[in-house]
Amino acid sequence: MWEKEVSMKRFSLFLSYAFCIAGFFAMLAVAVAMPIFGIEQLATVEHAMQHRIFSYLISYAILLLVLLADGCLFLLLQNIRRGTVFSHCSVQLLRIISWASIVAGFLAFPLYFFFLRSAIFISFVGLFLGVVLRVVKQVIEKATELKEENDATI
């Protein structure tokens, strides 16, 4: 029974690594393909073409934030694999991921007004994810403090 649990944990961690790495390469593919298939294809109103550069800047800024969050997520997975979840490093990584999600949510909002109607949904998802991650960060931070206090008393 114990071996099956360990095996499932390893598989879960492997799957998380796989999705993290696949997400990184998917974002790189989006960065390369965006000028080719991107904003011109999605534009449905005339003024969207006039604001193409602004839309590209916002889109690439969001993409950079997603890549930053993905890199931090990879490092967080390494902390989990090493068994150092309750550390200041993990708290800092969660802080970066949460702020990247919140900023990306705010950056996606102006795209709604130009042409991309689904940007408002993307914006709210980014904001919600950022807030949830802030709460998780607070929990991990408090657990880290309790762990350090416990380690100091023993």
Side-chain angles (χ1 to χ4, degrees):
M1 184 66 176
W2 181 78
E3 290 179 16
K4 187 175 181 178
E5 288 179 24
V6 170
S7 173
M8 287 302 292
K9 286 181 184 179
R10 284 185 183 159
F11 178 71
S12 176
L13 193 60
F14 170 77
L15 204 56
S16 298
Y17 271 120
F19 279 120
C20 188
I21 293 169
F24 180 78
F25 285 113
M27 290 301 111
L28 289 179
V30 167
V32 171
M34 195 181 314
I36 300 167
F37 303 109
I39 292 174
E40 289 87 359
Q41 301 295 326
L42 297 172
T44 57
V45 251
E46 184 62 32
H47 73 278
M49 294 303 287
Q50 297 169 354
H51 300 291
R52 179 176 51 210
I53 293 173
F54 179 70
S55 299
Y56 275 125
L57 286 175
I58 290 175
S59 299
Y60 277 111
I62 292 170
L63 190 63
L64 284 174
L65 288 168
V66 169
L67 287 171
L68 172 69
D70 191 52
C72 288
L73 183 63
F74 186 81
L75 294 174
L76 189 62
L77 286 170
Q78 286 183 327
N79 284 353
I80 292 169
R81 184 179 52 83
R82 279 186 247 135
T84 58
V85 178
F86 300 111
S87 66
H88 292 290
C89 180
S90 295
V91 171
Q92 186 64 28
L93 290 170
L94 281 169
R95 181 178 288 125
I96 293 169
I97 295 169
S98 67
W99 279 114
S101 297
I102 290 170
V103 172
F106 278 119
L107 285 176
F109 190 71
L111 293 176
Y112 171 76
F113 296 108
F114 290 119
F115 63 92
L116 193 57
R117 297 295 176 221
S118 62
I120 197 154
F121 175 73
I122 294 167
S123 178
F124 286 131
V125 167
L127 290 171
F128 180 75
L129 179 64
V131 170
V132 168
L133 285 171
R134 293 295 296 173
V135 171
V136 170
K137 187 225 37 121
Q138 294 293 339
V139 169
I140 298 292
E141 189 172 36
K142 186 64 176 173
T144 301
E145 290 172 8
L146 292 173
K147 179 186 175 289
E148 287 176 353
E149 184 180 312
N150 190 26
D151 289 345
T153 57
I154 293 179

